[in-house]
Amino acid sequence: MKKLLTVSAIALAMMTMTAQAEVTISSQSYQKVVKKKKAKWVKAAKVVPGSVVRYINTLKNKGKETAQNLVVVNAVPEHMEYINGTAVCQSKCNVTYSVDGGKTFDKPKKLFVGKGKKRHRAKASEYTTIMWVVDKLKGGKKTVVEYKARLQ
Amino acid sequence: MFKLAKIIILFTLLLLSNILLAKGVPAGTQIVNVAELTYKVGTSDFNTTSNTLVDVVDQVLDLEIICQDSNPVIVQSGKSQRALTFRVSNIGNGTDKFALTQETNSTSDFTVNNPSIYIDTNANGVFDTAVDQQINDINLTADTNATLFFVSDMPSGNFASGSQSANGIEARSTISGSGIPGTAIDLGSYFAVDGIRGGVDSDLCVYELSTVNVVLDKSATLSSDKLFTGTIIHYKIEVKVEGSGSVDNVVVKDTIPTGTSYVTNSIKLDSVSLSDNGHISGTFIMVPVGNMTQSDVHTVEFDVKVY
């Protein structure tokens, strides 16, 4: 009976630890405005063709434990074109891209599209999905990954 | 009220850098962004999804109206229903209704009478009194255009040959058309924003009075009583000048009718055969006649075969 109680206590402790390691992700779009010659990013509720939109994904670790190997996958929205070199992270991370809807990811130099004579190295505007891999996020901390895209 | 004004100003600033790039994704389109996250805590795997972020594409109100007559349109004093040709294009990203008004340049040498605006109903590029419809506005979907005619009567009287009158059309978006780029109108689910022209544009074409008038008289003769496959139609176009003075660089141009084909080496000017090369191009014939004065008469002839 004592042994059973001990096992139950360990399981409860693990469940508690798991509940504390809750990481959330929220997405928000921004557009640049220029006011009095100063550029500023403000929340974008609506866009027009040609608009550059900055998408910021905020990761918050609401638990106490450190989360590791945080992988964020963000499909570039339909009608938008990814802008080269804009996928970045606030903390140390690795960024790769997909040109097949997120089935495979790689660095830009290894991404190709088209068949036969039309096969060419993918332009940034042809990327379909972006993946950020963040090493770790300590409990109670937050970080962001972001990219910019242009509305067709 | 102040808050609303602040929002509009902010929104205006936001859009000014982009409104040059109208067209594109249709107004009202939803742009959806969702990110997925997977991670580890210890040996446990977790995954979650972000909020679904939806941005709605606004409508850019932009249009372009351009005179299609690269040279002044030659008219005669007292003639009625003379047309100037324009093309109006919706270069925004949504359907818009444009109000059309006539415009006249006050510095013109003469003022035309009974101006009105017609649409090229049968889309043949030529004003047809019996076919084309008079309009005051036009509805155009994004990236479409239409040909319009400014039609008016020429004043009677003795005007110097070469007198000019500039007239045209103003087209204004009925959604906003404020004339101020960036002005935003709340349409409920999205905004409509005046483009770089402020949702309004206009252009002028020019009438030029001439005391001479080139007259074309076209006739056709069939090789059979009725039209059959193989029937040869002989066309004869007589060119003459009425009034006083001279006309330079007269060119006779005619379309080869649908259902027929040009008969090789049948083109003639004043009964002299011309080379097909340079005078026949696809579906039309083109014969330079040269300079003409009142007494000159030229005749262009060619044959087509019914197929």
Side-chain angles (χ1 to χ4, degrees), chain A residues 136-151:
Chain A
K136 58 186 175 182
L137 183 61
K138 289 181 179 177
K141 298 290 183 181
K142 67 178 181 179
T143 191
V144 300
V145 298
E146 65 170 89
Y147 73 101
K148 295 187 186 81
R150 181 177 283 108
L151 181 63

Side-chain angles (χ1 to χ4, degrees), chain A residues 18 21 23 25-27 29 31 33-34 44-51 67-68 70-74 77 147 152, chain B residues 13-15 18 21 23 25 29 31-41 46 50-51 53 55-58 93 191:
Chain A
T18 300
V23 181
I25 180 167
S26 64
S27 184
S29 58
Q31 282 181 283
V33 295
V34 179
K46 303 176 180 71
V47 292
V48 296
S51 291
Q68 295 172 321
L70 299 102
V71 180
V72 179
V73 175
N74 196 150
Y147 73 101
Q152 297 167 341
Chain B
L13 288 167
L14 189 72
L15 295 167
N18 301 311
L21 300 165
K23 307 178 187 177
V25 178
T29 302
I31 305 299
V32 181
N33 188 72
V34 179
E36 294 172 354
L37 169 67
T38 58
Y39 61 96
K40 274 183 180 295
V41 175
F46 298 88
S50 75
N51 54 306
L53 185 64
D55 291 316
V56 181
V57 177
D58 282 346
N93 63 336
F191 281 84

Side-chain angles (χ1 to χ4, degrees), chain B residues 7-302:
Chain B
I7 291 170
I8 290 172
I9 290 167
L10 188 67
F11 194 66
T12 299
L13 288 167
L14 189 72
L15 295 167
L16 272 174
S17 60
N18 301 311
I19 51 182
L20 276 168
L21 300 165
K23 307 178 187 177
V25 178
T29 302
Q30 292 189 341
I31 305 299
V32 181
N33 188 72
V34 179
E36 294 172 354
L37 169 67
T38 58
Y39 61 96
K40 274 183 180 295
V41 175
T43 56
S44 301
D45 292 323
F46 298 88
N47 65 77
T48 186
T49 304
S50 75
N51 54 306
T52 301
L53 185 64
V54 179
D55 291 316
V56 181
V57 177
D58 282 346
Q59 180 170 359
V60 177
L61 307 174
D62 212 352
L63 69 151
E64 189 176 65
I65 186 161
I66 299 174
C67 170
Q68 301 297 294
D69 299 313
S70 52
N71 295 310
V73 173
I74 304 299
V75 293
Q76 287 71 46
S77 173
K79 296 288 184 182
S80 62
Q81 294 213 302
R82 290 298 180 257
L84 302 173
T85 308
F86 296 84
R87 189 185 65 229
V88 60
S89 306
N90 180 353
I91 55 175
N93 63 336
T95 299
D96 204 346
K97 186 177 182 181
F98 301 113
L100 305 171
T101 52
Q102 305 113 20
E103 282 208 332
T104 298
N105 188 332
S106 58
T107 60
S108 294
D109 297 328
F110 62 91
T111 303
V112 299
N113 299 319
N114 304 317
S116 50
I117 298 168
Y118 287 75
I119 185 168
D120 186 14
T121 306
N122 56 359
N124 66 350
V126 179
F127 174 59
D128 303 302
T129 311
V131 179
D132 297 334
Q133 294 176 314
Q134 188 176 344
I135 57 171
N136 296 314
D137 53 54
I138 184 169
N139 212 48
L140 289 176
T141 55
D143 296 330
T144 60
N145 60 64
T147 298
L148 303 176
F149 301 110
F150 175 97
V151 178
S152 65
D153 301 336
M154 298 303 109
S156 299
N158 294 321
F159 292 94
S161 189
S163 297
Q164 293 189 335
S165 178
N167 299 269
I169 300 172
E170 179 197 87
R172 183 181 292 270
S173 166
T174 57
I175 297 175
S176 173
S178 68
I180 303 168
T183 301
I185 302 290
D186 190 351
L187 298 181
S189 54
Y190 56 87
F191 281 84
V193 187
D194 281 323
I196 196 69
R197 296 172 182 79
V200 58
D201 196 23
S202 64
D203 201 11
L204 299 170
C205 287
V206 177
Y207 290 116
E208 183 174 304
L209 281 175
S210 173
T211 53
V212 293
N213 185 24
V214 177
V215 178
L216 297 177
D217 185 8
K218 184 177 177 180
S219 61
T221 308
L222 307 184
S223 64
S224 54
D225 292 344
K226 294 180 180 177
L227 276 178
F228 299 107
T229 300
T231 297
I232 303 291
I233 307 173
H234 177 74
Y235 285 111
K236 184 176 179 180
I237 304 169
E238 193 174 78
V239 194
K240 56 188 176 184
V241 170
E242 292 180 346
S244 60
S246 63
V247 183
D248 296 338
N249 301 320
V250 175
V251 177
V252 177
K253 188 176 174 183
D254 197 13
T255 304
I256 296 167
T258 304
T260 71
S261 57
Y262 170 75
V263 176
T264 306
N265 297 324
S266 65
I267 188 89
K268 293 178 183 174
L269 174 60
D270 298 331
S271 301
V272 177
S273 292
L274 300 174
S275 168
D276 286 349
N277 189 21
H279 298 106
I280 310 298
S281 178
T283 57
F284 61 89
I285 63 113
M286 191 168 69
V287 179
V289 172
N291 300 341
M292 295 180 71
T293 58
Q294 186 179 356
S295 58
D296 291 337
V297 177
H298 292 291
T299 306
V300 173
E301 297 169 88
F302 66 97

Side-chain angles (χ1 to χ4, degrees), chain A residues 36 45 93 108 126:
Chain A
K36 294 181 180 177
C93 77
E126 293 172 308

